[in-house]
Amino acid sequence: MDEVATISGQVTELAYALDTFYFLVTGALVMWMAAGFTMLESGLVRAKNTAEILTKNVGLYSIACIMYMLCGYTIMYPPDVGSGVFSSLATIGGGLLTSSDHTVEEVIASGGDVYYSGLSDFFFQVVFVATAMSIVSGAVAERMKLWSFFLFSAVLTGFIYPVQGFWKWGGGFLDQLGFLDFAGSGVVHLCGAAAALAGVLLLGPRKGKYGPDGQINAIPGANLPLAALGTLILWLGWFGFNGGSELIVSNVGEANSVALVFVNTNTAAAGGLIAALLLARLWFGKADLTMALNGALAGLVAITAEPLTPEPLQATLIGAVGGLIVVAAIVMIDKLKIDDPVGAISVHGVVGMWGLLAVAFTNNDGDFWGQLGTQAIGLVTIFAWVFFTSLVVWFGIKKIMGIRVSEEEEYEGVDLSECGLEAYPEFSAAE
Amino acid sequence: MDEVATISGQVTELAYALDTFYFLVTGALVMWMAAGFTMLESGLVRAKNTAEILTKNVGLYSIACIMYMLCGYTIMYPPDVGSGVFSSLATIGGGLLTSSDHTVEEVIASGGDVYYSGLSDFFFQVVFVATAMSIVSGAVAERMKLWSFFLFSAVLTGFIYPVQGFWKWGGGFLDQLGFLDFAGSGVVHLCGAAAALAGVLLLGPRKGKYGPDGQINAIPGANLPLAALGTLILWLGWFGFNGGSELIVSNVGEANSVALVFVNTNTAAAGGLIAALLLARLWFGKADLTMALNGALAGLVAITAEPLTPEPLQATLIGAVGGLIVVAAIVMIDKLKIDDPVGAISVHGVVGMWGLLAVAFTNNDGDFWGQLGTQAIGLVTIFAWVFFTSLVVWFGIKKIMGIRVSEEEEYEGVDLSECGLEAYPEFSAAE
Amino acid sequence: MDEVATISGQVTELAYALDTFYFLVTGALVMWMAAGFTMLESGLVRAKNTAEILTKNVGLYSIACIMYMLCGYTIMYPPDVGSGVFSSLATIGGGLLTSSDHTVEEVIASGGDVYYSGLSDFFFQVVFVATAMSIVSGAVAERMKLWSFFLFSAVLTGFIYPVQGFWKWGGGFLDQLGFLDFAGSGVVHLCGAAAALAGVLLLGPRKGKYGPDGQINAIPGANLPLAALGTLILWLGWFGFNGGSELIVSNVGEANSVALVFVNTNTAAAGGLIAALLLARLWFGKADLTMALNGALAGLVAITAEPLTPEPLQATLIGAVGGLIVVAAIVMIDKLKIDDPVGAISVHGVVGMWGLLAVAFTNNDGDFWGQLGTQAIGLVTIFAWVFFTSLVVWFGIKKIMGIRVSEEEEYEGVDLSECGLEAYPEFSAAE
């Protein structure tokens, strides 16, 4: 029987290793989304503001990683809250000043409750908070001061995001209410969009975006191949984002679940892209590439709240509705003179709300309206918390150091004033 | 003994989980190839046609995903055909209107026949059909109507591809004949190239490509870093394409096989690149980057029909021959006034044929000529089926809605007429 | 008991499969670093030299793969040296003329000593040597002859790199001395930088870089989004580079180790980026994007020598010091009129040295100065070997075929003279 116990222990260790490796691979895919946002945003701004948006993206990712390590993770998964895997991970994570992790004895004694490395959990979580912050940079592009943005990044990733993350994923009151948000249509995407909206409202539109007679001027992005590349990077990264959020893969049922999440994530994006492209064609008369790209992202955001329950055809429809919504939302938000150069508030905010509410169709235990209400509570809670705290923080930064570059700097482009260099010094601008 | 049975079940489940995860990771790499084709093609067309080729690429990927879900997968793997893993997967896959998958009991009872999630199989298959369709978009670039292209995409991915896919991978007559095509030099690459050729023949060359006095004018691509990036993305994705096609990794022999496939895939690409670069240097006097990139892709296509049997040095040679062939084929096809802006027909078609025939050198059971004949039968069958059905479909689309943009639209660039925007609005063209 | 033995064998096989798959996935991520260097370097050179640097990057990767297969791997891991897993892998690897790999019997009989595919080891190793060579291409950009560079690539990857690789990773004298270099701050990064320095010294600076009156002229890169993309690709690939260097993942302790390596690699890069960005802001008055990117890479290089021992906060600091060093080193090396267009010697050489020495802080068995001395011996040995052999080889190539293009070719750009095409033919240069 000793031999059997040895083998049993080996099997437990092997499952732990597989789940940890799965977590690290999917986490690396989510980290890759940082490149997706960087390319998407740098493709959608004008050439003269490109170096600065690149700097913002790589900077915010780094700030997110450090702030979440220093305090965010502990706020979101506090050691004394929750039970089972969460509390022990949080103990490990406390400030991440230690590199200790689960021992073999702990793993085997847990009877399956401890099934992956605590550090792999931290890695997976830290790239999520960076994703939320990446959403903000696009919306405030082309006119915000670089260092004000970085200061806000530190507050969002170290405090605002973790608090609402705790409410749902840390076992807080939204989780206990029955609010469902599998991989973060709310916790990540709506969070980022709410913070962005607060910033954009205080910041005001770019010069020349809205004319004196009420006309809306399109300001086309300088490099659409980069925008397409960014979208495809995000699409790939989303397999990690949603696929890793199952948190376990090591048995038949869980492996099937992860596979279904991959299939649904992919098909929701496809549905969103096609729907947005068709709607743009019908509405504007042209197959607008940027709408198609935003449609794919909308499909991805929409399915993120629940990629595991829908059948693939349902997932396609959930994504497609997201694609329709995003086109309408971009037009509407522009009419409201809320200037969001990349459509981030529409994609992640408006469609994030759709994703949260759509969960009630597929996961309602027979009580559609009840679940819809719960989803609405979560939605409003996340939005209200992030929007108002962000507004306060943005307002404070505005008072202290300002948030908007000078008119002349905006005209010349923020690349020169903020970064001291140009993104494309040899390619002459066709003004 | 109960404990032993429990552990035995856990081991079976763990193997299922590992094989499913391997399938999902390699499938995600194949999905990434969509970004590779998108970057490659957008780098090799002129600036004025770039937004449209981006739109085509993201659109065709989405169409492929949806059409293959709706009918393609069921055609290729019909429930009542084949046996063992194939038939049960097909049952699951039927129209993909269900998200059910293998149960634990089914997996354990199968004694190893059912060893991965059916949905992971669908995910892996669906990204393959998108690859085949991606090949077409490059060849018809810069002059084809967007929506005609999308209509054709739906037919190829929902019907033409799955039928010949069934003949080989669904257990159809080519499989029964002994035709070998490990990961799809024929089923995927030759298929895409044959459909492209049919389209190009009906479409005709770009304006200005062939002069009135028979001269051939080079039309250089606008953004070679994107072409290089696309090639490297495809190179990476091909580890998934070939490496995942082993379908299993969970024991010593299979893990070794997957490793060998990775090594051979890499070295064949390296061989193709070097051979094409050297030939271009000798022939044209310059180290032509685009030839080098096509050489790498040719090496990859060449090894795809059989990456498991050759030793690494043989794989390098098979790839190198592919690299030589592709340079000659590009020159030849240009001389025939078949205008293929990115060389897709040469890379995927001509070299795909070489890959299929080269199998006879390494896998012939002592009967080289017999296997060569079987490979030729498969080659001709796939080419004939795809070419003629595609010709009919292209012809029908041409009659109904036309396939070519107007001369003026072509002159102005299809970006403005089809998509209503420019890819690089600020970078002035050096006409 | 037969059943128990069967299951035990299955578990051993499954662990072997997981470790092999882990090796292949991390190896694929390292291969992806080739795309990172390609994008980084093509973004940091001028438009007129872009096609050539792309050609160099894809060419050197291919040459590295073939040369390392033909002789490099056998030199680095000779069959008759070392013991356990190394010697048997080397036997398999000998010239890689065989595709045979470990048998099931061998694996089970080894009692855990043979735990992954020999071919997966080769795959992992071959992408490392390509990384080392990639470092060189950036430093010698914009003025070196293409084919002279390729000739040097063959010698470095087939001989110079493997010899010093053997000294450490093949079980040679540096390993026996106790010199520590987990994933290659020395063996890979310092090696590449030393070879680059030798080349740059013989080659001289670019025309116009240093004025007659001693002034230093900045020559900005043409496409900073590509540079940012390249950096993010390298960041992602480094999870494979460092994460795969643990060589095993299949039990609780090892899975935890791999997770810690991922966390530390990520946070060191973040620390390096922030530190470099802040220093550039304080020193130059601007948030210099290229310094930030080099800071991230410096953080990665710095942690590569020992990503497993530090706690995450320590790793952040090690990376941050790397970020400070790289800014100073770039300025200093420029003052010495050593013209390194992308900062490769600073990032990989100077910071590689920091990484090697920093190991003494975290891994010293109570003898800090002793370990520091050992690290210094390894550092000097690697630098001296690679620098002087490279100098001899570069010198020989200079005598035989020259290493520098003509003044006119340099003025016109090496794209036209070497590759016969332009990277951006339509985007007019703003001279």
Side-chain angles (χ1 to χ4, degrees):
Chain A
M1 280 312 287
D2 264 6
E3 198 180 345
V4 172
T6 303
I7 296 174
S8 173
Q10 286 172 337
V11 171
T12 302
E13 291 210 44
L14 208 47
Y16 180 98
L18 177 60
D19 285 326
T20 296
F21 182 55
Y22 146 81
F23 233 5
L24 293 173
V25 170
T26 52
L29 285 173
V30 182
M31 175 271 161
W32 185 225
M33 292 172 73
F37 283 107
T38 305
M39 291 299 104
L40 178 66
E41 295 174 14
S42 69
L44 291 179
V45 300
R46 284 167 291 181
K48 66 184 177 182
N49 299 317
T50 302
E52 199 250 11
I53 201 89
L54 296 169
T55 310
K56 269 186 185 151
N57 270 278
V58 296
L60 78 87
Y61 178 84
S62 301
I63 290 168
C65 288
I66 291 174
M67 289 305 297
Y68 197 70
M69 175 178 68
L70 291 178
C71 58
Y73 189 64
T74 310
I75 293 172
M76 192 152 157
Y77 300 108
D80 57 335
V81 176
S83 65
V85 73
F86 281 123
S87 73
S88 67
L89 291 179
T91 310
I92 289 164
L96 251 291
L97 301 176
T98 166
S99 57
S100 68
D101 210 325
H102 304 300
T103 62
V104 177
E105 294 69 32
E106 202 185 327
V107 171
I108 290 175
S110 80
D113 272 5
V114 176
Y115 58 90
Y116 54 70
S117 148
L119 284 156
S120 72
D121 180 74
F122 171 75
F123 180 69
F124 192 72
Q125 300 288 342
V126 78
V127 288
F128 266 61
V129 62
T131 299
M133 190 61 217
S134 292
I135 294 164
V136 183
S137 56
V140 301
E142 304 205 292
R143 65 230 196 255
M144 179 173 274
K145 285 187 174 179
L146 182 69
W147 294 94
S148 304
F149 176 83
F150 283 153
L151 187 54
F152 181 81
S153 300
V155 181
L156 183 105
T157 59
F159 177 67
I160 299 174
Y161 171 94
V163 167
Q164 52 99 41
F166 163 70
W167 290 342
K168 170 58 192 152
W169 292 339
F173 79 96
L174 287 177
D175 193 48
Q176 287 160 20
L177 266 181
F179 171 64
L180 299 176
D181 191 8
F182 188 88
S185 289
V187 173
V188 179
H189 295 278
L190 178 57
C191 167
L197 179 62
V200 168
L201 290 179
L202 279 185
L203 194 59
R206 290 167 292 173
K207 292 287 157 205
K209 174 67 189 171
Y210 303 111
D213 311 327
Q215 79 272 26
I216 299 171
N217 300 312
I219 300 181
N223 199 331
L224 293 194
L226 296 187
L229 175 64
T231 303
L232 289 166
I233 291 174
L234 288 166
W235 197 322
L236 173 64
W238 231 289
F239 294 125
F241 198 89
N242 287 357
S245 291
E246 180 66 10
L247 310 180
I248 179 168
V249 72
S250 62
N251 62 48
V252 169
E254 297 294 350
N256 290 342
S257 293
V258 175
L260 180 56
V261 170
F262 269 63
V263 168
N264 281 346
T265 299
N266 189 55
T267 198
L273 189 142
I274 301 277
L277 194 63
L278 286 171
L279 180 56
R281 176 71 185 76
L282 294 172
W283 194 348
F284 315 133
K286 298 285 181 184
D288 187 304
L289 171 63
T290 58
M291 286 299 179
L293 299 178
N294 276 325
L297 297 176
L300 290 163
V301 171
I303 202 63
T304 292
E306 185 45 272
L308 183 54
T309 313
E311 289 168 359
L313 205 57
Q314 290 176 312
T316 313
L317 294 175
I318 290 168
V321 172
L324 299 177
I325 290 174
V326 82
V327 175
I330 286 172
V331 172
M332 186 90 71
I333 284 178
D334 218 11
K335 285 216 169 120
L336 294 172
K337 304 204 172 170
I338 296 169
D339 183 16
D340 175 1
V342 306
I345 296 167
S346 302
V347 169
H348 302 276
V350 181
V351 179
M353 292 181 188
W354 156 244
L356 288 178
L357 299 177
V359 175
F361 289 105
T362 54
N363 304 47
N364 56 32
D365 280 334
D367 177 12
F368 171 77
W369 292 105
Q371 187 64 42
L372 192 71
T374 309
Q375 294 303 106
I377 291 171
L379 184 163
V380 170
T381 305
I382 291 172
F383 180 83
W385 162 255
V386 178
F387 181 78
F388 289 111
T389 51
S390 296
L391 206 60
V392 169
V393 175
W394 286 124
F395 188 79
I397 296 173
K398 188 174 179 176
K399 285 290 150 197
I400 297 165
M401 57 196 282
I403 57 174
R404 184 153 184 154
V405 299
S406 75
E407 242 180 87
E408 194 184 318
E409 286 169 344
E410 189 176 342
Y411 179 77
E412 296 289 337
V414 288
D415 282 6
L416 285 174
S417 62
E418 295 284 15
C419 302
L421 41 74
E422 291 176 85
Y424 310 104
E426 299 184 45
F427 306 153
S428 61
E431 297 261 338
Chain B
M1 282 311 286
D2 264 7
E3 200 180 343
V4 172
T6 304
I7 296 174
S8 172
Q10 287 172 337
V11 171
T12 303
E13 291 210 45
L14 207 48
Y16 179 99
L18 177 58
D19 285 325
T20 297
F21 182 55
Y22 146 80
F23 232 5
L24 294 172
V25 170
T26 52
L29 285 174
V30 181
M31 176 271 161
W32 185 225
M33 291 172 74
F37 283 108
T38 305
M39 290 299 103
L40 177 67
E41 296 174 14
S42 69
L44 292 179
V45 300
R46 283 167 291 181
K48 66 183 177 182
N49 299 317
T50 301
E52 200 250 10
I53 201 90
L54 296 170
T55 311
K56 270 187 186 152
N57 270 279
V58 296
L60 77 87
Y61 179 84
S62 302
I63 291 168
C65 289
I66 291 174
M67 290 304 298
Y68 197 69
M69 174 178 68
L70 292 178
C71 60
Y73 189 64
T74 311
I75 292 172
M76 192 152 159
Y77 300 108
D80 57 335
V81 174
S83 64
V85 73
F86 281 123
S87 73
S88 67
L89 291 178
T91 311
I92 289 163
L96 251 291
L97 301 176
T98 167
S99 57
S100 69
D101 210 324
H102 304 299
T103 62
V104 177
E105 293 71 31
E106 201 185 328
V107 170
I108 290 175
S110 80
D113 272 4
V114 177
Y115 58 89
Y116 54 71
S117 149
L119 284 155
S120 72
D121 180 74
F122 172 75
F123 180 69
F124 192 72
Q125 300 288 342
V126 78
V127 288
F128 266 62
V129 62
T131 299
M133 190 61 217
S134 292
I135 294 164
V136 183
S137 56
V140 301
E142 303 206 292
R143 64 229 197 255
M144 179 172 274
K145 284 188 173 179
L146 181 69
W147 295 94
S148 305
F149 176 82
F150 283 153
L151 188 53
F152 180 80
S153 300
V155 181
L156 183 104
T157 59
F159 178 67
I160 298 174
Y161 171 93
V163 167
Q164 53 98 40
F166 163 70
W167 290 342
K168 170 58 193 153
W169 291 339
F173 79 96
L174 287 178
D175 194 46
Q176 287 161 19
L177 266 180
F179 171 64
L180 298 175
D181 191 9
F182 188 87
S185 288
V187 173
V188 179
H189 294 278
L190 179 56
C191 168
L197 179 63
V200 167
L201 291 180
L202 279 184
L203 194 58
R206 291 167 291 173
K207 293 286 156 204
K209 174 67 188 169
Y210 303 111
D213 312 326
Q215 80 272 27
I216 299 170
N217 300 314
I219 301 180
N223 198 331
L224 294 194
L226 296 187
L229 175 64
T231 302
L232 289 165
I233 292 174
L234 288 166
W235 196 323
L236 174 64
W238 231 289
F239 294 125
F241 198 89
N242 288 357
S245 291
E246 180 66 9
L247 310 179
I248 179 166
V249 72
S250 61
N251 61 49
V252 169
E254 297 294 349
N256 290 342
S257 293
V258 175
L260 179 57
V261 169
F262 270 64
V263 168
N264 281 345
T265 299
N266 189 55
T267 198
L273 189 140
I274 301 277
L277 194 63
L278 286 172
L279 180 56
R281 177 69 186 77
L282 294 173
W283 194 349
F284 314 134
K286 298 286 180 183
D288 187 304
L289 172 63
T290 58
M291 286 299 178
L293 300 178
N294 276 325
L297 298 176
L300 291 162
V301 170
I303 202 65
T304 292
E306 184 46 272
L308 183 55
T309 313
E311 290 169 0
L313 204 58
Q314 290 176 311
T316 313
L317 295 176
I318 290 168
V321 173
L324 299 177
I325 290 174
V326 82
V327 175
I330 286 173
V331 171
M332 185 91 70
I333 283 179
D334 218 11
K335 285 213 169 124
L336 293 172
K337 303 203 174 171
I338 297 169
D339 182 18
D340 175 2
V342 306
I345 297 169
S346 302
V347 169
H348 302 275
V350 180
V351 179
M353 291 181 188
W354 156 243
L356 288 178
L357 299 178
V359 175
F361 289 105
T362 54
N363 303 48
N364 56 31
D365 280 336
D367 177 13
F368 171 76
W369 293 104
Q371 188 63 41
L372 192 72
T374 309
Q375 294 303 105
I377 291 171
L379 184 163
V380 170
T381 304
I382 291 172
F383 180 82
W385 161 256
V386 178
F387 181 77
F388 288 111
T389 52
S390 295
L391 205 62
V392 169
V393 176
W394 286 123
F395 188 78
I397 296 173
K398 187 173 180 177
K399 285 291 152 196
I400 296 166
M401 57 196 283
I403 56 174
R404 183 152 185 154
V405 299
S406 75
E407 241 180 88
E408 193 183 319
E409 286 169 345
E410 190 177 341
Y411 179 77
E412 296 289 337
V414 289
D415 282 5
L416 285 174
S417 62
E418 296 284 14
C419 302
L421 41 73
E422 291 174 86
Y424 309 103
E426 298 184 46
F427 306 152
S428 60
E431 298 261 336
Chain C
M1 281 313 287
D2 264 4
E3 200 179 343
V4 172
T6 304
I7 296 175
S8 172
Q10 287 172 336
V11 171
T12 302
E13 291 209 43
L14 209 47
Y16 179 98
L18 177 59
D19 285 325
T20 297
F21 182 55
Y22 147 80
F23 232 6
L24 294 173
V25 170
T26 51
L29 285 173
V30 182
M31 176 270 161
W32 185 226
M33 292 172 73
F37 283 107
T38 306
M39 291 298 104
L40 177 67
E41 295 174 15
S42 70
L44 291 179
V45 300
R46 283 167 290 180
K48 65 183 178 182
N49 299 317
T50 302
E52 200 250 10
I53 200 90
L54 296 170
T55 310
K56 270 186 185 152
N57 271 279
V58 296
L60 78 86
Y61 179 84
S62 302
I63 290 169
C65 288
I66 291 175
M67 288 306 297
Y68 198 69
M69 174 179 68
L70 291 178
C71 60
Y73 189 64
T74 310
I75 292 171
M76 192 153 158
Y77 300 109
D80 56 336
V81 175
S83 65
V85 73
F86 282 122
S87 72
S88 66
L89 291 177
T91 311
I92 289 163
L96 250 292
L97 301 175
T98 167
S99 57
S100 69
D101 210 325
H102 304 300
T103 62
V104 177
E105 293 71 30
E106 200 185 329
V107 171
I108 290 176
S110 79
D113 271 3
V114 176
Y115 57 90
Y116 54 70
S117 149
L119 284 156
S120 72
D121 179 75
F122 172 74
F123 180 69
F124 193 72
Q125 300 289 343
V126 79
V127 288
F128 266 61
V129 62
T131 298
M133 190 61 217
S134 292
I135 293 164
V136 182
S137 56
V140 301
E142 304 205 293
R143 66 234 197 249
M144 178 172 274
K145 284 188 174 180
L146 182 69
W147 294 95
S148 305
F149 176 81
F150 283 154
L151 187 54
F152 181 80
S153 301
V155 180
L156 183 104
T157 60
F159 178 67
I160 298 173
Y161 171 93
V163 167
Q164 52 99 41
F166 162 71
W167 290 342
K168 169 60 192 150
W169 292 339
F173 80 96
L174 287 177
D175 194 46
Q176 287 160 18
L177 266 181
F179 171 63
L180 298 175
D181 190 7
F182 187 86
S185 288
V187 173
V188 179
H189 294 278
L190 178 56
C191 167
L197 178 62
V200 167
L201 289 180
L202 279 184
L203 194 58
R206 291 166 292 172
K207 292 285 156 206
K209 175 66 190 170
Y210 303 111
D213 312 327
Q215 81 270 27
I216 299 171
N217 300 313
I219 300 181
N223 198 331
L224 293 194
L226 296 187
L229 175 64
T231 302
L232 289 165
I233 291 174
L234 288 166
W235 197 322
L236 174 63
W238 231 290
F239 295 126
F241 198 90
N242 287 357
S245 292
E246 180 66 9
L247 310 180
I248 180 167
V249 73
S250 61
N251 61 49
V252 168
E254 297 294 349
N256 290 342
S257 293
V258 175
L260 179 57
V261 170
F262 269 64
V263 167
N264 281 345
T265 299
N266 189 55
T267 199
L273 190 140
I274 302 277
L277 194 62
L278 286 171
L279 180 56
R281 177 71 185 76
L282 294 172
W283 194 350
F284 315 133
K286 298 286 180 185
D288 187 304
L289 171 62
T290 57
M291 286 299 179
L293 300 179
N294 276 325
L297 297 176
L300 291 162
V301 171
I303 202 64
T304 292
E306 184 46 88
L308 183 54
T309 312
E311 289 170 0
L313 205 56
Q314 289 177 311
T316 312
L317 294 176
I318 291 167
V321 172
L324 299 178
I325 290 173
V326 82
V327 175
I330 286 173
V331 171
M332 186 90 71
I333 283 179
D334 218 11
K335 285 214 170 124
L336 294 172
K337 303 205 173 170
I338 296 169
D339 182 17
D340 174 1
V342 306
I345 296 168
S346 302
V347 169
H348 302 275
V350 180
V351 180
M353 291 181 189
W354 157 242
L356 288 178
L357 298 177
V359 175
F361 288 105
T362 55
N363 303 48
N364 56 30
D365 280 335
D367 177 12
F368 170 77
W369 293 104
Q371 188 63 43
L372 192 71
T374 309
Q375 294 303 106
I377 292 171
L379 184 163
V380 170
T381 305
I382 292 173
F383 180 83
W385 161 255
V386 178
F387 181 77
F388 288 111
T389 52
S390 295
L391 205 62
V392 169
V393 176
W394 285 123
F395 188 78
I397 297 174
K398 188 173 178 179
K399 286 290 151 198
I400 297 167
M401 57 197 281
I403 57 173
R404 183 153 185 155
V405 299
S406 75
E407 242 180 88
E408 193 183 320
E409 287 170 345
E410 189 176 341
Y411 179 76
E412 296 289 336
V414 288
D415 283 5
L416 286 175
S417 61
E418 296 284 14
C419 302
L421 41 74
E422 291 175 86
Y424 309 104
E426 299 184 46
F427 306 152
S428 61
E431 296 262 339

